[in-house]
Amino acid sequence: MSTVKVNLKNAREAIGNKNYDDAVKWCQKVLDWESNNYNALVFLGVAYQNLGDAVKGEESFKKAIQSNPELPLARQGLINFYEKLERWNDLIPALEEMLQTHLATPDGRKAQAITEQLIKLYTQQDQVDKAIEKMQTLLPGSKLYEILEDKPNQIETLRKLVVVQEQADSDYTERELKLRRGRINSGTAAQLQVAVRNDMYSRSEVGTTYELIISLDPENNKDLESKLLEFYLNKMIAVTSDKKSAVREKALKLASSMVDYDSDSYVPYETLLRFVDASSPSNYDADLQGRFSTKFPERGLSKLIQGQQYIEAGDVSEEVMEIIEEGFGAEPAFPYGYLVLCWMSHANGDFEVGLEHAAGGRDIVKKEILDTGFPFTRMLHSFELCLANCQLKLDPKAASYSLELYLGILKADDKNIEAHQGVGFAYSAQEKYDAAAHSFERVLQLDPDNVVAKSEIGWIHYLQGQYEEAEAKLREAVQTTESPRAVDMYRLGRIYYDMGDDYRENPEYSYAQLIAAVKLDQSCAGAFCYLGHYYREVIKDGPRAKKCYERAFSLDPREGEAGLHLSDYLLDGGDTEYAVDVFRKATAADRKANWAWKRLGFSELTGSNYLDAIDSFQKLLRNDVKDPEAWLGLAEAYQHEGRHMASLKALKRAQELLPNSPVVTYQIADVYQNLTMYPEAIEYYQTTLDLSEGTKEAEYMLSFMGIAQSNLKLAREYFDLGYYGRTAECSGNALMFASQLLAEDGQIRAAWKLVGDACLVYRSVPRYLHLCPLAVLCSIDSLLPADTNQSLHFPEKFDHGAIETMRSGGFGDLYNATTETSSQALEALYTVAGMAYKRANVLSGNQGIMAANYWYDIGLTYYYRHENATRKKRTANSGEASQWLGAALHCLKASLQFEEENATVWNALGVASFASNPKISQHGFIKSIEYDSKNPAPWSNLGYLYLLNSELDLALNAFTMAQTLDPAFAQAWTGQAWVANQWASSESTALFAHACESSSASILEANYGFASNTFTDMLANSNKSSSKDSGSTSLLVTPAFALTKYLEQRPRDTTAWNLLGLIRERFAQQAEAAECFLTAIKIMDEEENEASEGYQRRKMVLHHNLGRSLLSIQDYAGAIQAYEISLELEGVDAPASVFRTCKHLGAGLALYYAGELERSLQMFEVALAETEQVEGLEKSRDDVIVLLSQVLWALGGDEQRAVAKDELLRCISQSPNHLPAIFGLSAMGLVQNDETLATAAVKEVLKFSRQDLAELDPELKSDKLVSQYYSLLSEPKQAISVLSRSVHQAPSEALLWKRLSEHISSTVGTTGAATYAASVANARAAVALLPQQDTLQAIDLSQGYAQLAGTILLADGERQRQVSGWKNPKKDKIDEENRKSQAKVREAVSMAQRAVLAAPWNREAWQVVGFSVQKLEL
């Protein structure tokens, strides 16, 4: 043991000498003997600590503590160790353990020191709650406080505690705000802050600390009372409802105490004033209010109190109002201000403001009840009473809402007189007069002398028409008090006024009461209003009545009758501006003043303030959605603003209210017309006519004009769309209704103008002249005065001829627009149009811009007559055409005299003199460009002038300029196309196509140029390529449409008819082509002189084309006649030519098929001879020989047949590759049973290679011929083999698969069902390959589907015959076969339907459809 002590002594000395390594050695020696030696472990920890070995040092101290936990030395060493290393998280637990060690001793000083150290550490580490916990151990009641000899100062400790608690509350608030801000549905920032604040106050203990401090030394801690009071007020909001009362009582008790010793804080005063359940400001403690406002005059509540005191004293100056407003702005959440303002506004009649403040006050009181738990019953009822009163005054229609509030108040307080009165007022507003009277009777039970109740009961009698009872009750109300109310006097006067007779006219009754009312109250607007009635109706004194109304309205703009009659006087006096001001004031004062909104809306409408008018009518309709005049006004305003759809909706609402009003239906029609919805407009105009028929109202006449205008505009719209028949029909309707209008009133200038415009529409659609109502034109002509021409200095009979023809009905049948009669009808139309324009000009006075326009229109009619006369080559003379042209130029010049700068007229002048005088024409176009440089039309017309005079460069420049001004101007593109055409440019066709497309085929020159150039290009391309090209034919579809549209406007153009026939030939529409050629020939016969240039040549070509078309449709007699006429026109002595040879061949074919073989032979012989004379027909000679041989064979004689055979042999010897000759020779052998000849011919075919045959026989007819050859020899397998070999050699050719399928189907009798299966498979292959063919035609696709459908039906029929032959079949097998059969038949129906869809003109497809559907039904 002595060794241990010596070693410990040495260790202590080494530590004292800072020889820490030696200290470690000495300690280890001790521990070698005693491993748990407390002092050695402590010394070892100190040594390691100073050597910087923290781990071993900490370990040593902890072992020492474990060996003897009661001794503090090791703990202190560990504390010093942690403190030195600033290991605060380890230091705090060590201190806590050390504290417990010291608390176990009687000496509390060390425990106090440790506690204070812990408080400091907890505070530094933001562990405020633990710091507070340690601080509370320094207060009485704790173990530490009991063992301390020198007790700490409680107040100082509590004040320190308060600081820490306040910091803890602040930290909690900040921390929670950060945490909750990121949570979902945490609410707004303000809501989140309130929630966190409430949570903080509900858990805070700072109030308890305040209470302790104040209780220990109340005199020296007055500063904490304000803090404590604020804490109570905040905690009261935070705690649950069951705890609010206790906290509130503490707050009120503390506030009373603070007020008693005259605290310098405003909080206790406002707290006491806050918790007062007052129904009016007068219910508050006047002394408390005075002390508060005197001590804290700048507080917002003080200003409100001061303002209320001024009001009670009768001072309502602007300065007082400013004080109140300033105070209210400073205290927006204090009910007192709302209470003051709502009842003040109520008393002043400013019910809107009163309503706003009453509602705001009620909301605040409800929140105060919820926050504080204080009832505030009387205050809440006060706000609700004011709210109900104001709402009832502002909008009697909302009486149900006010009634609900009144009844709620009475439920809590049945003796509330004001609430009973409110119930009576509400029932009166709802016109429930008995219930209202009952409420006022209840008021009289509570207060027998209540003047208001008596007055209201009397007024109820008045409203019910019980004037005598009303007069008695009002008289009683007036006599109840010595100072009668002005309103009662006014009511009594009004009752007398409405009682009429002597009561109204005798000044002692109504007048006397009204005068008394205004003397008692100069602001009684109702009295002034009825005085106005008295002066207006009884005295007949307008000026005095106006003054009374003016005074009544100035006192109360809500006095509707006063405003209404005042505005009448103002409008009658022409003072529109003042009247509008009256309307504005009335609407500003009363949003429900419908009369004012209506008049304001119409006033704004009259003043062209359409947006303001819309606003006024919309506000009126919010009040009364069933006011039809408002909807009409709104619709008109919308229409002026260009909002036609909105206008239409408004008018539809008006129509719902006034379903039989012609005004409404007329306006709807007008809107539809503005929206270019002409069919709907016409419908509504017609409805207007039906509704107003016989009334002769304005709408009746206007509807005629509307229908006529809509039909005319619809006609132009149809024309732009290419619906020319509809165009003519609508123009006729326009003329019909214009005629009816003029029959009612012939002085309507616009109607005459419309007649002219409608007549000129037929110029663009002459093919539909049969739709023009000529009888209507005659009736219009009869309405024209006889001196119409003379009024404008025209000769009296200047337009007589065409009119007379029309009157006599000399036009005959106009259905065929290609006859000369159509020209006569157009002449009549132009004449009527010109006369109509002349009549309109006469009615306009032949002056000003209108005269310029009418002279322009008249000039157009004469120019159109000039055009028409120029085209009538056989019947019209040049003198007539020149006369109309001269008249046109004269009219256009007259137009320019009235309006020299009219670009349109200058352009028309240029067009009119286009051919007759190029210089004037050029001058007209240039002047038009000068006056309207942005218009492309004159530039385009100038280009055409240059083009006509072969100035191609100038023309191109003009057209380019027009395109620059308007790239979509189709006429310029057409002109450029004609220039390109003159230059033989390849771009011309594309330019024509663009012009045609951009104009929707409405430009005639573009239509014809497009069709002509496309057809010419197609011919040129087909001449370069000998192969069949179906794609080129498809390119003619659009040009054909364009040419059709051209002919609808130029039906007498023979060249166009010929071109259309040629195009239809390309479409394989031979019958239609023949019709086109016949039409052209008919027009030539009717309109052209045989002596005219090129007549015979053109007619010869037409008959040739006709013969070719008739031959194609097997009209052989017609074809023969056409060819003969063509040959006759060409002449017997005409030299041989390709053209002539073709005619001989065509005639020969027609004669052959007609059975005239001898003549046919002659034609072919002539043709054969001509092939030797005409260069380029060498290749055609072989074809002619084949035809000639065919005719010789048909003649039937042995000699002729021998000649035919020889001719074919000679042809083959000269042209071994000419397959038709070989085919002909083979056919001769087959029909003569000359196997040797037929076999020799077939062998000739078989000599050709597959490649050669593909070139010589693109359709592979040779394979078909060889197959037929073997079939005739009864060798079906060889026949099928030939066709199969063709398929194998060209498997992508759908035609070969189809041909093989057809052949197999035809051999069904020899091979059975397997043959049908192969036929179906081949047909399917053909259909699958068809879409891949380069030259696919619709008919090919249709035939493929029809073939497949037929083979499927044949295969199914054969299978059904096999099934029917089964012996004793099972039912399920029969059912299965039937299902399979049905499926096959349905497939056949589907294929047949596809065949019809592909080519509806294919008769075969329809037959297959019928057969397959019939079989499906079976």
Side-chain angles (χ1 to χ4, degrees):
M1 293 295 292
S2 60
T3 302
V4 171
K5 290 181 179 180
V6 171
N7 289 336
L8 287 173
K9 180 181 178 182
N10 292 335
R12 185 185 297 111
E13 289 176 354
I15 290 173
N17 295 326
K18 298 185 178 181
N19 295 324
Y20 300 116
D21 290 331
D22 293 340
V24 171
K25 293 177 182 179
W26 295 117
C27 290
Q28 288 293 351
K29 290 180 179 182
V30 174
L31 293 173
D32 289 341
W33 288 96
E34 295 180 13
S35 60
N36 290 326
N37 188 290
Y38 182 82
N39 290 326
L41 288 170
V42 172
F43 291 157
L44 184 61
V46 173
Y48 278 136
Q49 178 182 355
N50 286 285
L51 287 172
D53 193 340
V55 176
K56 291 182 178 180
E58 183 180 5
E59 184 181 352
S60 298
F61 284 130
K62 288 183 176 180
K63 285 183 178 181
I65 294 170
Q66 289 177 0
S67 65
N68 196 343
E70 289 79 12
L71 296 177
L73 183 59
R75 294 185 184 280
Q76 187 62 50
L78 187 60
I79 289 170
N80 294 337
F81 171 75
Y82 286 147
E83 193 169 6
K84 183 178 180 180
L85 295 178
E86 296 183 354
R87 291 171 59 178
W88 312 119
N89 292 334
D90 295 325
L91 176 61
I92 289 174
L95 287 171
E96 288 285 3
E97 292 176 2
M98 188 69 166
L99 177 61
Q100 298 303 319
T101 301
H102 288 314
L103 287 174
T105 66
D107 186 4
R109 288 177 297 170
K110 292 182 179 180
Q112 182 180 4
I114 294 296
T115 300
E116 290 176 351
Q117 189 176 0
L118 280 170
I119 292 171
K120 182 178 180 182
L121 278 172
Y122 280 133
T123 304
Q124 290 175 351
Q125 295 299 314
D126 292 333
Q127 299 182 34
V128 183
D129 292 340
K130 292 186 177 181
I132 292 172
E133 182 181 342
K134 292 302 174 188
M135 292 180 75
Q136 288 173 342
T137 62
L138 298 175
L139 295 172
S142 68
K143 185 176 181 180
L144 175 59
Y145 189 82
E146 291 176 359
I147 65 174
L148 286 174
E149 294 181 2
D150 188 10
K151 308 290 185 185
N153 189 309
Q154 288 188 47
I155 293 178
E156 291 181 3
T157 303
L158 289 170
R159 280 193 171 274
K160 292 179 181 178
L161 179 60
V162 162
V163 173
V164 177
Q165 287 176 327
E166 289 175 346
Q167 183 61 42
D169 291 344
S170 177
D171 292 345
Y172 174 83
T173 302
E174 184 177 354
R175 183 173 63 255
E176 287 297 314
L177 283 173
K178 289 181 179 178
L179 287 172
R180 300 187 191 184
R181 196 171 291 129
R183 295 177 184 172
I184 299 176
N185 299 327
S186 60
T188 63
Q191 292 172 339
L192 183 61
Q193 194 165 8
V194 170
V196 172
R197 182 181 175 86
N198 289 341
D199 290 346
M200 183 271 291
Y201 275 107
S202 63
R203 65 187 292 278
S204 177
E205 297 296 332
V206 72
T208 305
T209 307
Y210 288 148
E211 291 173 350
L212 285 172
I213 295 173
I214 294 171
S215 65
L216 291 172
D217 189 4
E219 294 299 328
N220 296 318
N221 291 289
K222 299 292 186 183
D223 60 314
L224 293 180
E225 289 184 342
S226 295
K227 287 187 175 183
L228 180 58
L229 181 57
E230 290 183 0
F231 177 81
Y232 284 150
L233 295 175
N234 289 319
K235 191 174 184 68
M236 177 176 54
I237 297 172
V239 299
T240 56
S241 57
D242 57 327
K243 298 178 181 179
K244 291 181 184 293
S245 178
V247 179
R248 186 179 67 249
E249 291 303 324
K250 286 183 180 181
L252 290 173
K253 183 178 179 181
L254 179 58
S256 297
S257 173
M258 293 174 70
V259 170
D260 288 342
Y261 68 75
D262 198 19
S263 172
D264 291 332
S265 173
Y266 65 86
V267 177
Y269 292 93
E270 290 189 352
T271 300
L272 293 177
L273 290 170
R274 176 181 178 183
F275 291 100
V276 176
D277 187 14
S279 60
S280 69
S282 61
N283 297 139
Y284 284 85
D285 187 342
D287 179 62
L288 180 62
Q289 292 184 77
R291 289 173 61 189
F292 174 68
S293 61
T294 302
K295 193 173 185 65
F296 307 100
E298 297 304 318
R299 292 291 299 171
L301 181 57
S302 293
K303 294 182 183 296
L304 288 169
I305 292 171
Q306 294 168 20
Q308 175 63 21
Q309 290 173 347
Y310 282 123
I311 291 173
E312 290 177 352
D315 186 358
V316 290
S317 61
E318 292 185 5
E319 292 79 5
V320 172
M321 297 308 300
E322 289 178 1
I323 293 173
I324 293 176
E325 289 176 2
E326 185 178 353
F328 185 74
E331 294 287 352
F334 210 94
Y336 186 92
Y338 288 94
L339 205 59
V340 171
L341 286 171
C342 75
W343 284 110
M344 180 184 71
S345 301
H346 183 276
N348 294 335
D350 194 352
F351 300 114
E352 193 167 350
V353 176
L355 178 69
E356 179 183 353
H357 288 111
R362 183 184 63 165
D363 294 340
I364 287 178
V365 168
K366 287 183 176 180
K367 185 177 183 302
E368 283 286 273
I369 294 172
L370 187 65
D371 289 343
T372 67
F374 193 75
F376 290 109
T377 305
R378 287 191 292 274
M379 184 178 289
L380 181 62
H381 288 167
S382 178
F383 281 126
E384 289 179 341
L385 186 64
C386 184
L387 180 65
N389 290 347
C390 293
Q391 183 68 49
L392 191 60
K393 292 289 186 181
L394 286 173
D395 186 9
K397 293 182 180 179
S400 57
Y401 173 74
S402 298
L403 182 61
E404 184 179 352
L405 292 174
Y406 291 134
L407 294 175
I409 296 170
L410 291 174
K411 189 175 181 180
D413 181 10
D414 185 55
K415 294 185 179 181
N416 191 314
I417 292 177
E418 292 182 335
H420 279 295
Q421 289 181 173
V423 170
F425 288 128
Y427 280 135
S428 293
Q430 293 178 334
E431 298 183 0
K432 297 178 180 179
Y433 297 123
D434 294 337
H438 176 75
S439 296
F440 289 120
E441 292 290 350
R442 174 61 178 160
V443 173
L444 291 177
Q445 292 175 6
L446 298 172
D447 181 9
D449 294 328
N450 190 294
V451 176
V452 174
K454 293 179 179 181
S455 176
E456 292 302 325
I457 292 173
W459 192 243
I460 289 171
H461 286 307
Y462 166 75
L463 294 175
Q464 291 178 322
Q466 300 169 359
Y467 295 138
E468 293 182 359
E469 293 84 349
E471 187 268 341
K473 206 66 180 178
L474 260 299
R475 179 64 66 186
E476 181 182 349
V478 169
Q479 294 174 353
T480 300
T481 175
E482 296 180 357
S483 301
R485 299 185 308 163
V487 66
D488 297 333
M489 301 302 296
Y490 151 66
R491 286 180 171 180
L492 187 58
R494 181 170 172 176
I495 291 170
Y496 283 138
Y497 190 88
D498 288 341
M499 288 175 71
D501 299 332
D502 191 49
Y503 291 102
R504 175 184 294 186
E505 297 177 0
N506 192 332
E508 295 181 0
Y509 291 99
S510 177
Y511 177 75
Q513 312 308 316
L514 294 172
I515 287 293
V518 298
K519 288 181 178 179
L520 288 171
D521 184 2
Q522 291 291 317
S523 62
C524 185
F528 278 108
C529 178
Y530 264 79
L531 280 173
H533 293 342
Y534 178 80
Y535 288 126
R536 179 173 60 89
E537 296 181 347
V538 178
I539 306 300
K540 309 296 183 182
D541 189 344
R544 294 179 72 180
K546 178 184 175 183
K547 288 181 180 179
C548 289
Y549 289 136
E550 195 168 7
R551 179 62 184 279
F553 186 77
S554 64
L555 290 171
D556 185 3
R558 293 169 297 179
E559 190 63 53
E561 291 188 29
L564 181 66
H565 292 297
L566 174 60
S567 64
D568 286 338
Y569 280 115
L570 294 173
L571 293 173
D572 290 342
D575 197 348
T576 306
E577 186 175 350
Y578 188 10
V580 171
D581 185 57
V582 168
F583 304 146
R584 295 188 190 281
K585 288 180 178 179
T587 55
D590 182 8
R591 294 291 177 183
K592 304 295 182 180
N594 294 347
W595 70 270
W597 285 119
K598 184 183 295 185
R599 293 199 172 193
L600 179 60
F602 283 109
S603 297
E604 300 289 9
L605 200 58
T606 304
S608 300
N609 301 320
Y610 304 121
L611 291 177
D612 293 334
I614 290 171
D615 182 65
S616 298
F617 287 125
Q618 286 177 338
K619 289 177 178 176
L620 168 58
L621 289 168
R622 290 192 193 104
N623 297 333
D624 184 6
V625 75
K626 294 186 177 181
D627 189 331
E629 293 182 5
W631 286 112
L632 287 172
L634 181 62
E636 186 176 352
Y638 276 141
Q639 197 165 357
H640 284 296
E641 277 294 300
R643 297 166 61 181
H644 298 297
M645 289 306 299
S647 176
L648 185 61
K649 289 180 181 178
L651 287 170
K652 289 296 182 69
R653 294 296 300 273
Q655 189 182 30
E656 292 175 5
L657 299 169
L658 299 173
N660 297 320
S661 171
V663 176
V664 178
T665 53
Y666 172 79
Q667 292 193 19
I668 293 175
D670 185 54
V671 173
Y672 274 127
Q673 185 175 345
N674 291 331
L675 286 170
T676 68
M677 299 170 68
Y678 302 119
E680 292 83 355
I682 293 169
E683 177 185 353
Y684 273 91
Y685 279 132
Q686 186 60 56
T687 303
T688 306
L689 287 176
D690 296 339
L691 291 174
S692 59
E693 186 175 4
T695 62
K696 304 301 180 183
E697 295 179 359
E699 289 76 21
Y700 182 74
M701 304 294 288
L702 291 173
S703 294
F704 277 115
M705 191 66 188
I707 295 179
Q709 289 176 338
S710 298
N711 272 291
L712 182 59
K713 291 178 180 178
L714 187 59
R716 290 168 177 166
E717 188 176 284
Y718 281 145
F719 179 79
D720 292 338
L721 295 173
Y723 300 142
Y724 297 147
R726 298 182 188 180
T727 300
E729 185 177 359
C730 289
S731 297
N733 292 336
L735 287 170
M736 180 177 66
F737 282 97
S739 171
Q740 295 180 44
L741 177 61
L742 290 171
E744 296 287 341
D745 184 358
Q747 305 298 312
I748 302 176
R749 186 174 63 243
W752 287 110
K753 162 73 173 168
L754 190 143
V755 167
D757 293 344
C759 288
L760 294 186
V761 169
Y762 288 96
R763 172 178 178 266
S764 301
V765 288
R767 196 171 184 180
Y768 296 93
L769 282 171
H770 61 279
L771 298 176
C772 177
L774 296 178
V776 172
L777 284 179
C778 292
S779 65
I780 292 173
D781 175 66
S782 66
L783 297 173
L784 286 164
D787 62 345
T788 301
N789 271 330
Q790 293 170 297
S791 300
L792 295 177
H793 308 291
F794 285 95
E796 180 180 0
K797 301 293 184 179
F798 196 59
D799 304 296
H800 186 67
I803 296 295
E804 287 299 322
T805 304
M806 180 181 68
R807 289 173 181 171
S808 62
F811 296 143
D813 179 21
L814 287 176
Y815 186 78
N816 186 356
T818 63
T819 61
E820 179 65 20
T821 309
S822 64
S823 295
Q824 298 175 0
L826 283 174
E827 178 75 12
L829 280 166
Y830 298 152
T831 304
V832 172
M835 295 299 292
Y837 290 138
K838 290 175 184 178
R839 179 58 181 163
N841 195 11
V842 171
L843 293 173
S844 70
N846 194 24
Q847 294 179 357
I849 301 299
M850 295 299 296
N853 294 332
Y854 288 130
W855 279 111
Y856 167 74
D857 292 333
I858 298 167
L860 285 185
T861 63
Y862 282 119
Y863 179 72
Y864 295 155
R865 294 174 73 178
H866 159 71
E867 280 187 332
N868 193 47
T870 303
R871 290 172 184 160
K872 293 189 298 180
K873 296 180 181 178
R874 293 182 62 185
T875 59
N877 54 61
S878 59
E880 184 182 32
S882 300
Q883 178 186 12
W884 302 140
L885 180 60
L889 294 173
H890 167 75
C891 294
L892 293 174
K893 291 175 183 178
S895 175
L896 290 172
Q897 290 178 355
F898 286 100
E899 188 182 6
E900 183 180 356
E901 298 182 359
N902 192 318
T904 303
V905 180
W906 280 111
N907 181 61
L909 182 63
V911 173
S913 56
F914 196 87
S916 61
N917 195 330
K919 291 183 179 180
I920 293 179
S921 179
Q922 182 183 32
H923 177 70
F925 294 140
I926 292 174
K927 292 293 286 184
S928 178
I929 294 168
E930 178 184 338
Y931 291 127
D932 186 3
S933 59
K934 302 296 183 182
N935 188 356
W939 279 107
S940 179
N941 290 334
L942 184 61
Y944 283 112
L945 178 65
Y946 291 142
L947 180 62
L948 180 65
N949 290 277
S950 301
E951 297 289 346
L952 301 184
D953 291 328
L954 292 174
L956 182 60
N957 291 337
F959 291 133
T960 303
M961 188 63 188
Q963 291 168 352
T964 303
L965 293 172
D966 184 2
F969 193 65
Q971 288 88 337
W973 289 100
T974 305
Q976 188 177 356
W978 283 114
V979 172
N981 206 44
Q982 291 294 312
W983 282 337
S985 172
S986 59
E987 296 180 352
S988 60
T989 303
L991 290 169
F992 278 127
H994 177 73
C996 186
E997 181 180 356
S998 61
S999 66
S1000 300
S1002 61
I1003 305 300
L1004 301 184
E1005 293 79 5
N1007 293 346
Y1008 182 81
F1010 180 34
S1012 176
N1013 275 32
T1014 304
F1015 185 75
T1016 303
D1017 293 345
M1018 189 205 69
L1019 289 180
N1021 293 333
S1022 64
N1023 289 335
K1024 294 178 182 178
S1025 175
S1026 60
S1027 62
K1028 181 181 177 182
D1029 185 6
S1030 63
S1032 61
T1033 303
S1034 64
L1035 294 176
L1036 289 173
V1037 174
T1038 305
F1041 170 78
L1043 191 59
T1044 303
K1045 289 300 177 185
Y1046 173 87
L1047 285 168
E1048 286 184 352
Q1049 297 184 63
R1050 296 282 177 82
R1052 298 196 300 277
D1053 192 326
T1054 56
T1055 305
W1057 280 112
N1058 181 58
L1059 178 59
L1060 183 59
L1062 294 174
I1063 292 174
R1064 285 180 172 172
E1065 274 190 306
R1066 290 286 170 168
F1067 291 147
Q1069 299 174 354
Q1070 304 297 343
E1072 291 81 359
E1075 183 180 352
C1076 291
F1077 298 136
L1078 280 170
T1079 301
I1081 293 170
K1082 185 178 181 181
I1083 294 172
M1084 287 189 67
D1085 292 340
E1086 292 176 347
E1087 299 188 1
E1088 295 192 26
N1089 195 317
E1090 295 181 1
S1092 62
E1093 182 180 357
Y1095 173 82
Q1096 285 192 336
R1097 170 72 180 172
R1098 289 185 286 112
K1099 194 168 184 180
M1100 175 193 67
V1101 171
L1102 283 171
H1103 277 92
H1104 179 198
N1105 293 339
L1106 175 62
R1108 184 175 61 251
S1109 298
L1110 293 174
L1111 179 61
S1112 299
I1113 61 175
Q1114 300 177 10
D1115 183 358
Y1116 304 124
I1120 294 169
Q1121 182 182 8
Y1123 279 125
E1124 289 177 345
I1125 294 173
S1126 181
L1127 288 168
E1128 181 183 350
L1129 289 170
E1130 190 176 12
V1132 178
D1133 299 330
S1137 64
V1138 175
F1139 192 60
R1140 185 176 179 85
T1141 301
C1142 289
K1143 283 189 283 186
H1144 281 116
L1145 287 173
L1149 287 171
L1151 289 165
Y1152 171 75
Y1153 288 115
E1156 300 184 34
L1157 300 181
E1158 293 291 343
R1159 293 179 61 193
S1160 174
L1161 181 61
Q1162 294 174 6
M1163 288 293 179
F1164 284 130
E1165 288 175 344
V1166 173
L1168 183 61
E1170 289 178 341
T1171 58
E1172 298 177 352
Q1173 303 173 23
V1174 180
E1175 183 179 358
L1177 288 180
E1178 294 83 1
K1179 294 182 179 180
S1180 300
R1181 177 178 175 80
D1182 295 335
D1183 294 325
V1184 176
I1185 290 174
V1186 172
L1187 291 172
L1188 181 61
S1189 300
Q1190 186 175 354
V1191 174
L1192 288 169
W1193 184 269
L1195 287 171
D1198 293 337
E1199 182 180 354
Q1200 288 93 338
R1201 291 186 175 182
V1203 172
K1205 181 178 178 181
D1206 293 340
E1207 289 292 336
L1208 288 176
L1209 289 171
R1210 185 167 60 252
C1211 177
I1212 294 172
S1213 64
Q1214 295 175 356
S1215 302
N1217 295 337
H1218 194 254
L1219 288 178
I1222 298 174
F1223 293 163
L1225 206 59
S1226 175
M1228 288 181 182
L1230 291 173
V1231 298
Q1232 283 186 320
N1233 292 321
D1234 187 348
E1235 184 177 346
T1236 303
L1237 180 61
T1239 303
V1242 169
K1243 287 181 178 180
E1244 288 295 323
V1245 174
L1246 296 176
K1247 288 180 181 179
F1248 293 102
S1249 66
R1250 199 72 205 168
Q1251 183 177 0
D1252 292 339
L1253 278 177
E1255 294 179 1
L1256 297 172
D1257 183 18
E1259 296 182 3
L1260 300 177
K1261 293 180 179 179
S1262 56
D1263 290 339
K1264 188 175 182 180
L1265 174 67
V1266 174
S1267 174
Q1268 291 175 344
Y1269 165 74
Y1270 285 118
S1271 295
L1272 290 173
L1273 294 179
S1274 300
E1275 297 183 17
K1277 292 183 178 179
Q1278 287 292 335
I1280 293 175
S1281 176
V1282 171
L1283 296 177
S1284 298
R1285 187 168 58 251
S1286 298
V1287 169
H1288 289 300
Q1289 291 173 349
S1292 61
E1293 289 291 335
L1295 175 64
L1296 300 180
W1297 289 96
K1298 179 174 177 290
R1299 186 177 293 166
L1300 179 59
S1301 174
E1302 290 173 347
H1303 182 79
I1304 292 174
S1305 297
S1306 66
T1307 61
V1308 61
T1310 60
T1311 56
T1315 302
Y1316 279 124
S1319 178
V1320 172
N1322 289 321
R1324 290 188 190 279
V1327 169
L1329 289 170
L1330 276 171
Q1332 304 172 20
Q1333 306 303 299
D1334 295 333
T1335 60
L1336 178 65
Q1337 299 282 341
I1339 190 64
D1340 297 333
L1341 194 62
S1342 177
Q1343 289 174 351
Y1345 281 121
Q1347 169 69 18
L1348 177 56
T1351 55
I1352 291 173
L1353 291 173
L1354 289 172
D1356 179 69
E1358 179 61 24
R1359 179 61 180 169
Q1360 290 298 314
R1361 284 192 294 274
Q1362 291 178 0
V1363 171
S1364 63
W1366 288 354
K1367 295 181 179 180
N1368 302 320
K1370 293 183 179 180
K1371 186 177 184 301
D1372 55 345
K1373 292 290 289 181
I1374 294 296
D1375 292 341
E1376 179 66 22
E1377 287 296 330
N1378 288 335
R1379 283 193 295 271
K1380 290 181 180 180
S1381 175
Q1382 286 293 312
K1384 290 178 180 179
V1385 173
R1386 280 194 293 270
E1387 183 185 8
V1389 171
S1390 176
M1391 294 299 106
Q1393 290 173 339
R1394 292 187 183 186
V1396 170
L1397 288 174
W1401 58 86
N1402 184 6
R1403 181 177 297 177
E1404 177 191 354
W1406 286 102
Q1407 290 173 345
V1408 176
V1409 167
F1411 183 72
S1412 58
V1413 171
Q1414 183 180 11
K1415 190 167 184 181
L1416 182 65
E1417 292 174 351
L1418 294 176

